Amino acid sequence: MSKLPAMTLLPLALALATAPVLADEAAKIDQARAIAKEFGGTLKGELEKAMKAGGPVAAIEVCHSKAPAIAKDLSAKYRAEVHRTSLKPRATAPQDWEREVLADFDARRVSGEDPNAIEFHQVVEIDGKPHLRYMKAIGTMPVCLNCHGTDIKPEVKARLEALYPEDKATGYKAGELRGAFSITAPL
């Protein structure tokens, strides 16, 4: 049996040592995608019901009360930090790393990438342990313009001002990047 030089074994040993982390990372990325899809789907369903029942003013109530509850439930269910954020936040201002990613997302959108297909992920160390950070862009659909556009009805504007006095989440056009789902989970 021939002996392999130690230098040959080192890359193999490193590859074997990181293989479980890489597999876990891939699984967590898939899970983060599923969380973002579940969050978006659940929120969209609630918003559609509210719009049918009471129009944009009722939809504002969904974003104000139900969206945070959905994020909290998903955070508990998946043992992750789940929320929405934006460069023009209504409620949750971005962390520094999220601000950088959102700026990159917007540059990618301007370059022609579909906002609904843009995502980001990275592994970082938090409290000495590896965590996955994942973001999925949220594009502005025409229905979103009722509360996020430039021509907002007075009753909608009044409700937004009452619930979000520091609101920056208006002035959008269809197709623009409105924000992102953000998920941080331990590996």
Side-chain angles (χ1 to χ4, degrees):
M1 180 169 166
S2 66
K3 283 185 142 183
L4 293 174
M7 289 176 52
T8 305
L9 294 176
L10 184 58
L12 177 60
L14 287 173
L16 291 174
T18 60
V21 173
L22 294 177
D24 192 31
E25 180 181 346
K28 282 290 184 182
I29 292 168
D30 287 343
Q31 183 184 56
R33 286 181 180 128
I35 294 168
K37 185 175 182 177
E38 186 175 345
F39 193 169
T42 303
L43 183 57
K44 182 180 178 186
E46 292 292 331
L47 287 167
E48 287 172 347
K49 282 192 280 185
M51 285 291 286
K52 285 180 185 173
V57 173
I60 293 167
E61 298 301 327
V62 168
C63 284
H64 183 70
S65 61
K66 290 192 179 184
I70 293 166
K72 184 178 179 183
D73 290 346
L74 291 172
S75 294
K77 178 179 176 180
Y78 292 104
R79 296 186 177 133
E81 180 188 321
V82 180
H83 62 269
R84 297 175 302 158
T85 191
S86 173
L87 289 173
K88 292 171 35 174
R90 181 159 282 165
T92 308
Q95 299 171 28
D96 289 341
W97 74 270
E98 291 170 322
R99 189 175 294 106
E100 290 176 21
V101 172
L102 287 164
D104 178 64
F105 279 8
D106 201 41
R108 290 166 63 184
R109 180 201 58 85
V110 168
S111 295
E113 209 169 328
D114 177 3
N116 296 308
I118 299 173
E119 65 176 1
F120 163 88
H121 59 83
Q122 73 178 159
V123 175
V124 297
E125 192 171 294
I126 300 174
D127 297 329
K129 296 180 181 172
H131 284 69
L132 175 73
R133 285 180 172 167
Y134 174 85
M135 289 180 71
K136 173 77 173 97
I138 301 170
T140 304
M141 306 300 289
V143 70
C144 303
L145 301 177
N146 287 298
C147 301
H148 294 282
T150 55
D151 187 25
I152 300 173
K153 293 180 180 177
E155 64 274 13
V156 173
K157 192 173 224 173
R159 189 65 186 143
L160 288 172
E161 289 172 357
L163 293 174
Y164 306 102
E166 303 296 320
D167 184 24
K168 295 180 179 93
T170 60
Y172 288 99
K173 295 178 183 137
E176 290 184 327
L177 176 75
R178 196 173 75 253
F181 297 105
S182 180
I183 298 149
T184 301
L187 288 174

